[in-house]
Amino acid sequence: AQRVTQPEKLLSVFKGAPVELKCNYSYSGSPELFWYVQYSRQRLQLLLRHISRESIKGFTADLNKGETSFHLKKPFAQEEDSAMYYCALRRGSTLGRLYFGRGTQLTVWP
Amino acid sequence: KAGVTQTPRYLIKTRGQQVTLSCSPISGHRSVSWYQQTPGQGLQFLFEYFSETQRNKGNFPGRFSGRQFSNSRSEMNVSTLELGDSALYLCASTSQGNEQFFGPGTRLTVL
């Protein structure tokens, strides 16, 4: 079975501080990992996927297969980063199905 | 390109009724997935359709069903509504690059 865990339901930091949103997963195969973001009153949108290894809006995430983690990091948080962040996993055999974590609400204070 | 659209955006029903929600994927996307989002359970996968065939199914009772048309538009139906079916229902279409794009959702309230 597969599972995605985001241990922090709420996370608050001050503007300019580093931020790390944790994501751990369990899956015996080779998963594809994603971070989705939902800003207030907007639809869910893709932020990062591990296979692209891009940095989007200053965020990066590295897949650590040994620790089964895919933590999202940003060195200097901005107020506009305040949003709900979801970590998601996809198995290679089920392309249209994502397994989501419960989400972390990030608040960046001025 | 227009994004994924869902209709209606809001719906109020009473227990025992049935409801049909509609989703129009991004042009060219052939896969449509449905998710239920609730405060208690988070985002849970309902089912996925590809080329008019159900390709994956989540752990929901048979009251939840769906279909996809030849133009890739999809509908989901919930029969005999229960209070616990109150949720935001999200539709997503998947690109050829396997990226899922989500719609704004339909907020269903069951009274």
Side-chain angles (χ1 to χ4, degrees):
Chain A
Q2 55 290 307
R3 188 180 182 90
V4 178
T5 304
Q6 293 179 251
E8 302 133 334
K9 193 172 181 180
L10 302 170
L11 185 62
S12 293
V13 300
F14 284 102
K15 176 183 172 182
V19 63
E20 181 180 51
L21 292 89
K22 291 184 168 51
C23 172
N24 290 91
Y25 67 91
S26 62
Y27 178 54
S28 56
S30 292
E32 190 173 358
L33 275 296
F34 303 83
W35 276 99
Y36 278 82
V37 61
Q38 189 166 31
Y39 300 103
S40 180
R41 301 184 191 281
Q42 294 187 26
R43 63 184 68 190
L44 200 59
Q45 56 186 283
L46 179 66
L47 181 63
L48 284 177
R49 56 195 300 187
H50 90 268
I51 61 171
S52 64
R53 301 185 67 82
E54 290 177 312
S55 171
I56 306 294
K57 299 185 179 182
F59 284 98
T60 59
D62 289 316
L63 179 60
N64 186 323
K65 291 187 178 181
E67 296 183 358
T68 59
S69 68
F70 189 56
H71 302 327
L72 184 68
K73 300 176 185 178
K74 185 169 183 176
F76 308 103
Q78 302 299 315
E79 289 178 69
E80 55 266 29
D81 296 329
S82 295
M84 190 72 167
Y85 291 80
Y86 293 94
C87 183
L89 175 154
R90 179 164 66 196
R91 291 162 28 180
S93 59
T94 54
L95 294 176
R97 178 174 188 169
L98 292 172
Y99 298 85
F100 283 92
R102 299 299 293 272
T104 296
Q105 178 67 50
L106 172 66
T107 301
V108 181
W109 298 104
Chain B
K1 269 187 181 177
V4 177
T5 58
Q6 293 186 245
T7 56
R9 293 294 310 278
Y10 302 91
L11 209 47
I12 299 175
K13 293 284 187 179
T14 55
R15 280 181 298 174
Q17 287 188 307
Q18 74 158 10
V19 67
T20 300
L21 312 181
S22 181
C23 171
S24 292
I26 292 171
S27 178
H29 292 188
R30 294 164 61 190
S31 165
V32 173
S33 303
W34 289 89
Y35 296 84
Q36 182 195 65
Q37 186 176 26
T38 60
Q41 300 297 320
L43 279 152
Q44 292 190 291
F45 174 81
L46 282 154
F47 28 65
E48 181 213 0
Y49 286 86
F50 180 84
S51 293
E52 302 178 65
T53 302
Q54 188 179 84
R55 190 158 70 169
N56 287 295
K57 189 176 189 307
N59 297 324
F60 278 81
R63 299 185 297 107
F64 291 81
S65 62
R67 59 178 176 169
Q68 187 180 31
F69 302 94
S70 58
N71 61 358
S72 294
R73 189 176 70 84
S74 177
E75 288 182 347
M76 68 163 280
N77 183 277
V78 189
S79 62
T80 321
L81 283 166
E82 300 177 0
L83 294 178
D85 296 333
S86 294
L88 181 66
Y89 289 89
L90 296 175
C91 165
S93 69
T94 304
S95 68
Q96 287 193 336
N98 295 324
E99 180 179 337
Q100 283 202 356
F101 294 83
F102 283 82
T106 294
R107 172 75 62 187
L108 172 65
T109 302
V110 182
L111 301 176

Short mmCIF file of all heavy atoms in Angstrom, two decimals, chain A residues 23-63:
data_model
loop_
_atom_site.label_atom_id
_atom_site.label_comp_id
_atom_site.label_asym_id
_atom_site.label_seq_id
_atom_site.Cartn_x
_atom_site.Cartn_y
_atom_site.Cartn_z
N CYS A 23 7.42 16.00 3.94
CA CYS A 23 6.59 14.99 3.30
C CYS A 23 7.34 13.66 3.36
O CYS A 23 8.49 13.57 2.92
CB CYS A 23 6.32 15.36 1.85
SG CYS A 23 5.49 14.06 0.89
N ASN A 24 6.69 12.66 3.90
CA ASN A 24 7.24 11.30 3.91
C ASN A 24 6.26 10.38 3.21
O ASN A 24 5.04 10.60 3.25
CB ASN A 24 7.48 10.82 5.34
CG ASN A 24 8.62 11.56 5.99
OD1 ASN A 24 8.42 12.58 6.64
ND2 ASN A 24 9.82 11.07 5.79
N TYR A 25 6.78 9.36 2.57
CA TYR A 25 5.89 8.47 1.85
C TYR A 25 6.28 7.02 2.12
O TYR A 25 7.39 6.72 2.57
CB TYR A 25 5.95 8.74 0.34
CG TYR A 25 7.28 8.41 -0.30
CD1 TYR A 25 7.51 7.14 -0.84
CD2 TYR A 25 8.30 9.35 -0.36
CE1 TYR A 25 8.72 6.82 -1.42
CE2 TYR A 25 9.52 9.03 -0.94
CZ TYR A 25 9.72 7.77 -1.46
OH TYR A 25 10.93 7.46 -2.03
N SER A 26 5.34 6.16 1.88
CA SER A 26 5.61 4.73 1.94
C SER A 26 5.06 4.11 0.67
O SER A 26 3.90 4.31 0.31
CB SER A 26 4.97 4.09 3.18
OG SER A 26 3.58 4.23 3.14
N TYR A 27 5.95 3.42 -0.02
CA TYR A 27 5.57 2.75 -1.26
C TYR A 27 6.73 1.85 -1.64
O TYR A 27 7.88 2.28 -1.66
CB TYR A 27 5.29 3.76 -2.37
CG TYR A 27 4.95 3.13 -3.71
CD1 TYR A 27 3.93 2.20 -3.82
CD2 TYR A 27 5.67 3.45 -4.85
CE1 TYR A 27 3.62 1.60 -5.03
CE2 TYR A 27 5.37 2.88 -6.07
CZ TYR A 27 4.34 1.95 -6.15
OH TYR A 27 4.03 1.37 -7.35
N SER A 28 6.44 0.63 -1.97
CA SER A 28 7.50 -0.35 -2.22
C SER A 28 8.12 -0.21 -3.60
O SER A 28 9.23 -0.67 -3.84
CB SER A 28 6.95 -1.76 -2.05
OG SER A 28 5.83 -1.95 -2.89
N GLY A 29 7.45 0.46 -4.50
CA GLY A 29 7.97 0.61 -5.86
C GLY A 29 8.69 1.94 -6.03
O GLY A 29 9.15 2.55 -5.07
N SER A 30 8.79 2.39 -7.27
CA SER A 30 9.41 3.68 -7.58
C SER A 30 8.34 4.71 -7.85
O SER A 30 7.73 4.70 -8.92
CB SER A 30 10.32 3.55 -8.81
OG SER A 30 11.43 2.75 -8.52
N PRO A 31 8.08 5.57 -6.90
CA PRO A 31 6.98 6.53 -7.08
C PRO A 31 7.43 7.78 -7.81
O PRO A 31 8.62 8.06 -7.94
CB PRO A 31 6.61 6.86 -5.64
CG PRO A 31 7.94 6.84 -4.93
CD PRO A 31 8.74 5.74 -5.59
N GLU A 32 6.43 8.51 -8.24
CA GLU A 32 6.68 9.86 -8.72
C GLU A 32 6.08 10.79 -7.66
O GLU A 32 4.94 10.58 -7.23
CB GLU A 32 6.01 10.09 -10.08
CG GLU A 32 6.43 11.39 -10.72
CD GLU A 32 5.91 11.56 -12.14
OE1 GLU A 32 5.24 10.64 -12.65
OE2 GLU A 32 6.18 12.63 -12.72
N LEU A 33 6.83 11.79 -7.24
CA LEU A 33 6.38 12.67 -6.17
C LEU A 33 6.13 14.07 -6.69
O LEU A 33 6.83 14.57 -7.58
CB LEU A 33 7.43 12.73 -5.05
CG LEU A 33 7.42 11.66 -3.95
CD1 LEU A 33 6.12 11.74 -3.14
CD2 LEU A 33 7.60 10.28 -4.53
N PHE A 34 5.11 14.71 -6.10
CA PHE A 34 4.70 16.05 -6.51
C PHE A 34 4.44 16.92 -5.28
O PHE A 34 4.11 16.41 -4.21
CB PHE A 34 3.36 15.99 -7.29
CG PHE A 34 3.37 15.10 -8.49
CD1 PHE A 34 3.15 13.74 -8.37
CD2 PHE A 34 3.56 15.63 -9.76
CE1 PHE A 34 3.14 12.91 -9.47
CE2 PHE A 34 3.54 14.81 -10.88
CZ PHE A 34 3.34 13.45 -10.74
N TRP A 35 4.55 18.20 -5.50
CA TRP A 35 4.01 19.18 -4.55
C TRP A 35 2.98 20.03 -5.31
O TRP A 35 3.27 20.56 -6.38
CB TRP A 35 5.11 20.10 -3.99
CG TRP A 35 5.84 19.50 -2.83
CD1 TRP A 35 7.05 18.87 -2.85
CD2 TRP A 35 5.39 19.47 -1.47
NE1 TRP A 35 7.39 18.45 -1.58
CE2 TRP A 35 6.38 18.81 -0.72
CE3 TRP A 35 4.25 19.94 -0.81
CZ2 TRP A 35 6.28 18.61 0.67
CZ3 TRP A 35 4.14 19.73 0.55
CH2 TRP A 35 5.14 19.08 1.27
N TYR A 36 1.78 20.10 -4.71
CA TYR A 36 0.73 20.95 -5.23
C TYR A 36 0.49 22.08 -4.23
O TYR A 36 0.67 21.91 -3.02
CB TYR A 36 -0.58 20.17 -5.41
CG TYR A 36 -0.63 19.37 -6.69
CD1 TYR A 36 -0.03 18.12 -6.77
CD2 TYR A 36 -1.27 19.87 -7.82
CE1 TYR A 36 -0.07 17.39 -7.95
CE2 TYR A 36 -1.32 19.15 -9.00
CZ TYR A 36 -0.71 17.91 -9.05
OH TYR A 36 -0.75 17.20 -10.22
N VAL A 37 0.05 23.23 -4.74
CA VAL A 37 -0.22 24.38 -3.89
C VAL A 37 -1.62 24.91 -4.20
O VAL A 37 -2.08 24.86 -5.34
CB VAL A 37 0.85 25.48 -4.07
CG1 VAL A 37 0.87 25.99 -5.49
CG2 VAL A 37 0.63 26.63 -3.09
N GLN A 38 -2.28 25.36 -3.14
CA GLN A 38 -3.60 25.96 -3.31
C GLN A 38 -3.61 27.29 -2.58
O GLN A 38 -3.63 27.33 -1.34
CB GLN A 38 -4.68 25.04 -2.77
CG GLN A 38 -6.08 25.48 -3.11
CD GLN A 38 -7.10 24.39 -2.85
OE1 GLN A 38 -6.94 23.56 -1.97
NE2 GLN A 38 -8.16 24.37 -3.64
N TYR A 39 -3.55 28.38 -3.35
CA TYR A 39 -3.66 29.72 -2.76
C TYR A 39 -5.13 29.99 -2.46
O TYR A 39 -6.01 29.37 -3.03
CB TYR A 39 -3.09 30.76 -3.71
CG TYR A 39 -1.64 30.54 -4.05
CD1 TYR A 39 -1.26 29.98 -5.27
CD2 TYR A 39 -0.63 30.87 -3.14
CE1 TYR A 39 0.07 29.76 -5.58
CE2 TYR A 39 0.70 30.64 -3.43
CZ TYR A 39 1.04 30.08 -4.65
OH TYR A 39 2.36 29.85 -4.94
N SER A 40 -5.35 30.95 -1.57
CA SER A 40 -6.71 31.27 -1.15
C SER A 40 -7.60 31.57 -2.35
O SER A 40 -7.25 32.37 -3.21
CB SER A 40 -6.67 32.48 -0.21
OG SER A 40 -7.97 32.81 0.20
N ARG A 41 -8.72 30.87 -2.41
CA ARG A 41 -9.73 31.07 -3.46
C ARG A 41 -9.24 30.71 -4.87
O ARG A 41 -9.81 31.17 -5.85
CB ARG A 41 -10.25 32.51 -3.45
CG ARG A 41 -10.87 32.93 -2.14
CD ARG A 41 -11.46 34.33 -2.23
NE ARG A 41 -11.84 34.85 -0.93
CZ ARG A 41 -12.95 34.53 -0.30
NH1 ARG A 41 -13.81 33.70 -0.85
NH2 ARG A 41 -13.21 35.05 0.88
N GLN A 42 -8.18 29.91 -4.94
CA GLN A 42 -7.71 29.48 -6.24
C GLN A 42 -7.73 27.96 -6.32
O GLN A 42 -7.85 27.28 -5.32
CB GLN A 42 -6.30 30.00 -6.51
CG GLN A 42 -6.23 31.52 -6.64
CD GLN A 42 -4.86 31.98 -7.07
OE1 GLN A 42 -4.11 31.24 -7.73
NE2 GLN A 42 -4.51 33.20 -6.71
N ARG A 43 -7.60 27.45 -7.51
CA ARG A 43 -7.62 26.01 -7.68
C ARG A 43 -6.27 25.39 -7.35
O ARG A 43 -5.24 26.08 -7.31
CB ARG A 43 -8.04 25.64 -9.10
CG ARG A 43 -7.10 26.11 -10.20
CD ARG A 43 -7.65 25.78 -11.57
NE ARG A 43 -8.84 26.54 -11.90
CZ ARG A 43 -9.62 26.31 -12.95
NH1 ARG A 43 -9.32 25.32 -13.78
NH2 ARG A 43 -10.69 27.05 -13.20
N LEU A 44 -6.30 24.12 -7.12
CA LEU A 44 -5.09 23.36 -6.85
C LEU A 44 -4.19 23.40 -8.09
O LEU A 44 -4.66 23.17 -9.20
CB LEU A 44 -5.50 21.93 -6.52
CG LEU A 44 -4.56 21.01 -5.78
CD1 LEU A 44 -4.20 21.57 -4.42
CD2 LEU A 44 -5.21 19.64 -5.62
N GLN A 45 -2.91 23.68 -7.88
CA GLN A 45 -2.01 23.74 -9.04
C GLN A 45 -0.67 23.09 -8.70
O GLN A 45 -0.23 23.11 -7.55
CB GLN A 45 -1.79 25.19 -9.49
CG GLN A 45 -1.27 26.13 -8.42
CD GLN A 45 -1.23 27.56 -8.91
OE1 GLN A 45 -0.34 27.95 -9.66
NE2 GLN A 45 -2.19 28.37 -8.49
N LEU A 46 -0.06 22.54 -9.72
CA LEU A 46 1.21 21.87 -9.54
C LEU A 46 2.32 22.88 -9.25
O LEU A 46 2.44 23.88 -9.95
CB LEU A 46 1.55 21.06 -10.80
CG LEU A 46 2.87 20.31 -10.78
CD1 LEU A 46 2.84 19.21 -9.72
CD2 LEU A 46 3.17 19.72 -12.15
N LEU A 47 3.11 22.59 -8.23
CA LEU A 47 4.25 23.44 -7.91
C LEU A 47 5.54 22.78 -8.42
O LEU A 47 6.33 23.40 -9.11
CB LEU A 47 4.32 23.67 -6.41
CG LEU A 47 5.44 24.56 -5.88
CD1 LEU A 47 5.29 25.98 -6.42
CD2 LEU A 47 5.44 24.58 -4.36
N LEU A 48 5.72 21.51 -8.04
CA LEU A 48 6.94 20.81 -8.41
C LEU A 48 6.66 19.34 -8.65
O LEU A 48 5.77 18.78 -8.03
CB LEU A 48 7.95 20.85 -7.25
CG LEU A 48 8.75 22.10 -6.95
CD1 LEU A 48 9.60 21.85 -5.71
CD2 LEU A 48 9.66 22.42 -8.12
N ARG A 49 7.46 18.72 -9.51
CA ARG A 49 7.45 17.27 -9.62
C ARG A 49 8.90 16.82 -9.59
O ARG A 49 9.75 17.49 -10.17
CB ARG A 49 6.73 16.79 -10.87
CG ARG A 49 7.26 17.35 -12.17
CD ARG A 49 6.33 17.14 -13.34
NE ARG A 49 6.04 15.75 -13.63
CZ ARG A 49 5.35 15.35 -14.70
NH1 ARG A 49 4.88 16.24 -15.55
NH2 ARG A 49 5.09 14.07 -14.90
N HIS A 50 9.17 15.74 -8.93
CA HIS A 50 10.56 15.40 -8.66
C HIS A 50 11.34 15.07 -9.92
O HIS A 50 12.54 15.31 -9.98
CB HIS A 50 10.66 14.26 -7.63
CG HIS A 50 10.67 12.88 -8.23
ND1 HIS A 50 9.53 12.15 -8.42
CD2 HIS A 50 11.70 12.10 -8.66
CE1 HIS A 50 9.84 10.97 -8.94
NE2 HIS A 50 11.15 10.92 -9.10
N ILE A 51 10.67 14.58 -10.94
CA ILE A 51 11.41 14.17 -12.12
C ILE A 51 11.92 15.37 -12.92
O ILE A 51 12.87 15.25 -13.68
CB ILE A 51 10.59 13.25 -13.03
CG1 ILE A 51 9.33 13.97 -13.53
CG2 ILE A 51 10.25 11.96 -12.33
CD1 ILE A 51 8.59 13.19 -14.60
N SER A 52 11.31 16.53 -12.74
CA SER A 52 11.74 17.69 -13.52
C SER A 52 12.91 18.41 -12.85
O SER A 52 13.66 19.12 -13.51
CB SER A 52 10.58 18.66 -13.72
OG SER A 52 10.16 19.17 -12.47
N ARG A 53 13.03 18.24 -11.54
CA ARG A 53 14.14 18.83 -10.77
C ARG A 53 14.24 20.35 -10.99
O ARG A 53 15.32 20.91 -11.02
CB ARG A 53 15.46 18.16 -11.12
CG ARG A 53 15.46 16.66 -10.85
CD ARG A 53 16.83 16.05 -11.09
NE ARG A 53 17.80 16.54 -10.11
CZ ARG A 53 17.94 16.06 -8.90
NH1 ARG A 53 17.16 15.10 -8.46
NH2 ARG A 53 18.85 16.55 -8.09
N GLU A 54 13.10 21.00 -11.19
CA GLU A 54 13.12 22.44 -11.37
C GLU A 54 12.96 23.16 -10.05
O GLU A 54 12.53 22.57 -9.06
CB GLU A 54 11.95 22.85 -12.28
CG GLU A 54 12.09 22.44 -13.73
CD GLU A 54 10.87 22.83 -14.53
OE1 GLU A 54 9.74 22.55 -14.08
OE2 GLU A 54 11.05 23.42 -15.61
N SER A 55 13.29 24.45 -10.05
CA SER A 55 13.00 25.31 -8.91
C SER A 55 11.90 26.25 -9.35
O SER A 55 12.06 27.00 -10.32
CB SER A 55 14.27 26.09 -8.51
OG SER A 55 13.93 27.06 -7.55
N ILE A 56 10.78 26.20 -8.65
CA ILE A 56 9.64 27.04 -9.00
C ILE A 56 9.36 28.00 -7.86
O ILE A 56 9.24 27.58 -6.71
CB ILE A 56 8.39 26.17 -9.24
CG1 ILE A 56 8.66 25.08 -10.27
CG2 ILE A 56 7.21 27.04 -9.68
CD1 ILE A 56 8.94 25.56 -11.66
N LYS A 57 9.29 29.29 -8.18
CA LYS A 57 9.04 30.32 -7.17
C LYS A 57 10.02 30.20 -6.00
O LYS A 57 9.68 30.50 -4.86
CB LYS A 57 7.59 30.24 -6.66
CG LYS A 57 6.57 30.45 -7.73
CD LYS A 57 5.15 30.47 -7.18
CE LYS A 57 4.16 30.71 -8.30
NZ LYS A 57 2.76 30.79 -7.82
N GLY A 58 11.22 29.74 -6.28
CA GLY A 58 12.24 29.64 -5.25
C GLY A 58 12.17 28.37 -4.43
O GLY A 58 13.02 28.14 -3.57
N PHE A 59 11.17 27.53 -4.69
CA PHE A 59 11.02 26.28 -3.96
C PHE A 59 11.79 25.16 -4.64
O PHE A 59 11.84 25.09 -5.87
CB PHE A 59 9.54 25.86 -3.89
CG PHE A 59 8.72 26.63 -2.91
CD1 PHE A 59 7.93 27.69 -3.33
CD2 PHE A 59 8.72 26.29 -1.56
CE1 PHE A 59 7.16 28.41 -2.42
CE2 PHE A 59 7.94 26.99 -0.65
CZ PHE A 59 7.17 28.05 -1.08
N THR A 60 12.37 24.29 -3.85
CA THR A 60 13.00 23.08 -4.35
C THR A 60 12.57 21.90 -3.50
O THR A 60 12.14 22.08 -2.36
CB THR A 60 14.54 23.18 -4.32
OG1 THR A 60 14.96 23.41 -2.96
CG2 THR A 60 15.05 24.29 -5.21
N ALA A 61 12.67 20.73 -4.08
CA ALA A 61 12.37 19.52 -3.32
C ALA A 61 13.22 18.40 -3.89
O ALA A 61 13.31 18.24 -5.11
CB ALA A 61 10.89 19.17 -3.43
N ASP A 62 13.84 17.65 -3.01
CA ASP A 62 14.67 16.53 -3.44
C ASP A 62 14.08 15.23 -2.92
O ASP A 62 13.73 15.11 -1.74
CB ASP A 62 16.11 16.68 -2.90
CG ASP A 62 16.85 17.80 -3.60
OD1 ASP A 62 16.73 17.88 -4.84
OD2 ASP A 62 17.50 18.60 -2.91
N LEU A 63 14.01 14.27 -3.82
CA LEU A 63 13.52 12.96 -3.43
C LEU A 63 14.64 12.19 -2.75
O LEU A 63 15.70 11.98 -3.33
CB LEU A 63 13.03 12.20 -4.67
CG LEU A 63 12.49 10.79 -4.45
CD1 LEU A 63 11.29 10.82 -3.51
CD2 LEU A 63 12.13 10.14 -5.77
#
